[in-house]
Amino acid sequence: LDHVKREVQLLKAVDHPNIMKMIDSFEDEDYVHIVTEICTGVELFDLVVDNTTDYGCLPEDQAMSIIKALLESVQYMHSKDIVHRDIKPENLVLSSSGQVGIVKLIDFGLSRRHGVNEGNMTNQVGTPYYMSPDILRGNYDRTCDLWAVGVVCYILLTGYPPYNGNNDSEVHASTKKGHLVFERQVWGNLSKSSRDFVRKLLCTDDATRIRTADDALRHPWLSSR
C-alpha cells in the first residue's frame, strides 16, 4: 500500500505532455484506483513486435522522435528529483492509435524521489533487460534512467535487447560484462550518429558516458531534429 500511495503522490507532482496524466484517485475496501487521461494507442512493446525484421525495427526517424520525447520526460522528472527506475517499452504508450500518437511514460510504481546530493540508492529494482550495472551492484543514482533509455533506443532500432540471456541471471551477467555488439546486418542500415548515441548511453566508463538527459538531448543524433 505504501508503494501505491507513493505512486499517487508522484503522479500528482508531475505535469508533462510525455507523462501519463493522473486525473484522480480513490480507494475502496479492496483497491486503490488511479484515473488517468485516455490513451488509445498501443504500448511501444507492441510496436516493436509488429515491426521487427531481420534487418532492424522502427525507421530511424521514428525511433529518434520517440527517444527525444522520452528524454524530455526524463529531463522533467529529474528536474523534480524523481527517478522512474522502470523505463521500458511496456511502460511507454501512444496517446492515439496508429504510429503518430504522442509518447506517454506510465507506471510510477517503482519511482521515488532522490536528490542529486543524496546518497546513492541501493534497492535492486527494475526489469532485468533495462537495469544498469550500477543497479545490479546495488549502488546507483538517477543515471539508471539514462541507461534504460539507451536500452530502449537499441531495441527500437534493432528489435532485440543489447544484453540478453535465457533467464534473469544470464541477462544480469551479460549486462555486467557490458560487451555491446552492433551487428552489421542491422546497424549497417543506421547512421553512425545513432551508434555513437547508444554507445555513450550504454557505457560503463564515466568519462565518456552520457549521465544527464540534458546531455543526451544535446547529442548530434537528436539535436539535429
Side-chain angles (χ1 to χ4, degrees):
L1 185 60
D2 286 343
H3 285 193
V4 177
K5 287 181 176 178
R6 183 171 65 186
E7 180 174 8
V8 168
Q9 290 302 316
L10 291 175
L11 284 171
K12 281 182 180 178
V14 296
D15 184 11
H16 188 274
N18 298 115
I19 297 175
M20 176 78 81
K21 186 175 181 61
M22 187 182 80
I23 307 301
D24 199 0
S25 65
F26 61 95
E27 192 173 345
D28 61 24
E29 289 183 358
D30 300 311
Y31 300 102
V32 175
H33 302 267
I34 297 175
V35 183
T36 71
E37 63 179 309
I38 295 174
C39 284
T40 59
V42 298
E43 291 178 2
L44 209 57
F45 181 83
D46 297 320
L47 204 59
V48 170
V49 170
D50 291 343
N51 287 275
T52 298
T53 70
D54 291 340
Y55 302 98
C57 189
L58 298 185
E60 190 168 337
D61 278 354
Q62 187 180 6
M64 196 186 305
S65 177
I66 291 169
I67 292 300
K68 188 170 185 179
L70 173 57
L71 278 168
E72 286 170 352
S73 72
V74 171
Q75 181 186 48
Y76 173 83
M77 285 189 304
H78 288 184
S79 74
K80 290 186 167 290
D81 290 337
I82 296 171
V83 188
H84 190 278
R85 301 200 296 183
D86 200 21
I87 292 172
K88 57 184 178 180
E90 295 93 324
N91 284 341
L92 291 159
V93 300
L94 294 175
S95 61
S96 58
S97 56
Q99 298 186 9
V100 294
I102 299 170
V103 179
K104 303 272 186 177
L105 180 62
I106 65 170
D107 194 347
F108 280 63
L110 294 180
S111 304
R112 59 163 289 184
R113 290 191 181 274
H114 188 265
V116 175
N117 297 318
E118 290 184 50
N120 280 358
M121 292 172 279
T122 58
N123 291 345
Q124 293 171 297
V125 300
T127 303
Y129 289 113
Y130 308 90
M131 293 166 72
S132 71
D134 294 338
I135 291 180
L136 299 177
R137 286 191 287 267
N139 183 24
Y140 64 97
D141 56 19
R142 64 182 58 190
T143 59
C144 65
D145 283 346
L146 276 302
W147 179 277
V149 171
V151 176
V152 170
C153 186
Y154 189 103
I155 290 172
L156 292 184
L157 293 170
T158 66
Y160 54 86
Y163 305 111
N164 216 333
N166 294 316
N167 53 52
D168 291 355
S169 295
E170 289 185 6
V171 173
H172 289 167
S174 177
T175 301
K176 288 177 180 176
K177 187 177 179 182
H179 182 51
L180 193 59
V181 176
F182 294 98
E183 294 178 351
R184 183 175 296 177
Q185 181 169 302
V186 174
W187 290 94
N189 305 317
L190 300 167
S191 67
K192 290 182 179 178
S193 185
S194 68
R195 290 199 298 276
D196 184 71
F197 179 75
V198 169
R199 187 181 287 113
K200 286 181 177 173
L201 283 172
L202 301 180
C203 177
T204 55
D205 179 4
D206 283 349
T208 55
R209 181 179 172 187
I210 294 176
R211 298 183 59 83
T212 70
D214 290 349
D215 285 344
L217 286 164
R218 282 194 289 266
H219 188 277
W221 189 58
L222 295 179
S223 61
S224 61
R225 283 186 66 82

